[in-house]
Amino acid sequence: MRTTILQIKEMKQKGKRIPMLTAYDYATAKLIDGAGVPLILVGDSLGMVVLGYESTIPVTMDEMLHHTKAVVRGTEQSLIIGDMPFMTYHASVSEALHNAARFIQEAGAQAVKLEGGETMAETVRRVVECGIPVMGHIGLTPQSVHQLGGFKVQGKTQEAAIRLVKDACALEEAGVFAIVLEAIPTPLAKLITKKVGVPTIGIGAGPFCDGQVQVVSDLLGLFTDFVPKHAKQYAKLSDIIKQSVGEYINEVQAGTFPTDKQSYTMDESLLAGLEQEYIW
Ligand code: KIV
């Protein structure tokens, strides 16, 4: 039985912190789900950490659906959120509805996430009215990286901080079930968390949010291009992978892999017959 939207909202009321992680493939999602993470986001960060793009902007609906389907197949307990990619919910409310529905109907996700505050409120309201739970995302919104002038901390001036509080309130009013706060000062995230009734999920937003989200490739030390300040590496799988591949290369070259353990036998009399017929 998967985590429900209601349970996530109740966690805030009960003061229970909410862990969330990204996942992009069947095998990783299965491990994360088995470990008991209640929320899995198939983030468009996959563009950078899985597909090697420089930002999340090139990510398409087809790519998101492909990965979301794999994550859904690998999970039983976690609630799966599909991240709506750049320009798939901006041009019109009807396009947003159509694309949000694809995540639920085709990919099997239970909710969608989209970036933006007050300006996206009407779109959020319509998607929620159609029965699709929506997670908001404000602060550093990577799809607006060019507008923001880079991957920078947001809400540092009084004006910007007030805007973010208003954005959070507008999203709550429009019906989101939770809001991601990305790269904003800790005291501002604390204030927003107190102000809104829905859970806030922080990434680079300090310890006072109702939950935290991390990109799984950062958490496991799989992505080596850079480590964001907000990330904590709980493992360094890149080292383990490099070491394992090195050992494999050495063993193949030395002829010590494979051994009988990784090989198959056949009936001796069959072999003798084959040798008589084919080996001169
Ligand atoms: O795409 C993503 O992984 C995200 C999280 C960092 C919140 O949006």
Side-chain angles (χ1 to χ4, degrees), residues 3-131:
T3 307
T4 64
I5 296 293
L6 210 63
Q7 286 169 332
I8 294 299
K9 287 183 174 169
E10 275 171 8
M11 284 173 86
K12 173 162 183 142
Q13 285 148 20
K14 292 180 181 162
K16 266 181 99 176
R17 294 265 163 84
I18 307 163
M20 170 163 133
L21 269 179
T22 66
Y24 315 107
D25 66 275
Y26 170 86
T28 315
K30 195 166 183 170
L31 292 169
I32 293 174
D33 183 71
V37 169
L39 289 177
I40 293 182
L41 170 70
V42 187
D44 64 354
S45 50
L46 73 84
M48 296 172 81
V49 300
V50 175
L51 303 177
Y53 299 143
E54 276 184 8
S55 75
T56 58
I57 290 172
V59 177
T60 64
M61 265 308 283
D62 284 347
E63 286 167 340
M64 288 306 302
L65 292 175
H66 175 80
H67 287 271
T68 305
K69 284 179 194 174
V71 168
V72 169
R73 284 194 290 269
T75 52
E76 288 174 355
Q77 323 244 355
S78 311
L79 188 145
I80 310 301
I81 305 155
D83 207 1
M84 297 192 68
F86 182 59
M87 275 299 150
T88 62
Y89 53 97
H90 304 81
S92 69
V93 169
S94 80
E95 199 179 349
L97 284 173
H98 171 74
N99 287 320
R102 291 191 70 192
F103 274 103
I104 309 298
Q105 213 165 20
E106 286 178 40
Q110 287 79 52
V112 296
K113 176 173 85 57
L114 52 82
E115 296 182 6
E118 220 167 355
T119 53
M120 293 313 302
E122 193 44 37
T123 302
V124 169
R125 183 171 294 112
R126 285 294 296 129
V127 176
V128 173
E129 273 170 7
C130 290

Side-chain angles (χ1 to χ4, degrees), residues 20-24 41-47 49 56 64 83 113 115 135-137 140-143 180-182 201-203 213-216 218 230:
M20 170 163 133
L21 269 179
T22 66
Y24 315 107
L41 170 70
V42 187
D44 64 354
S45 50
L46 73 84
V49 300
T56 58
M64 288 306 302
D83 207 1
K113 176 173 85 57
E115 296 182 6
M135 173 177 271
H137 182 164
L140 170 52
T141 44
Q143 291 171 11
V180 169
L181 304 179
E182 179 164 354
I201 312 286
I203 176 161
V213 56
Q214 287 278 286
V215 168
V216 71
D218 293 335
H230 60 248

Side-chain angles (χ1 to χ4, degrees), residues 97-204:
L97 284 173
H98 171 74
N99 287 320
R102 291 191 70 192
F103 274 103
I104 309 298
Q105 213 165 20
E106 286 178 40
Q110 287 79 52
V112 296
K113 176 173 85 57
L114 52 82
E115 296 182 6
E118 220 167 355
T119 53
M120 293 313 302
E122 193 44 37
T123 302
V124 169
R125 183 171 294 112
R126 285 294 296 129
V127 176
V128 173
E129 273 170 7
C130 290
I132 301 175
V134 177
M135 173 177 271
H137 182 164
I138 57 173
L140 170 52
T141 44
Q143 291 171 11
S144 307
V145 61
H146 299 312
Q147 182 77 16
L148 301 175
F151 295 99
K152 291 180 180 160
V153 178
Q154 301 297 305
K156 290 188 83 164
T157 65
Q158 195 186 20
E159 195 192 350
I162 291 170
R163 167 111 327 272
L164 284 174
V165 176
K166 285 187 175 165
D167 281 340
C169 293
L171 287 174
E172 179 181 23
E173 217 264 313
V176 296
F177 72 93
I179 306 171
V180 169
L181 304 179
E182 179 164 354
I184 66 172
T186 298
L188 178 59
K190 187 178 181 184
L191 195 146
I192 293 173
T193 301
K194 268 195 184 163
K195 176 91 183 143
V196 295
V198 292
T200 58
I201 312 286
I203 176 161

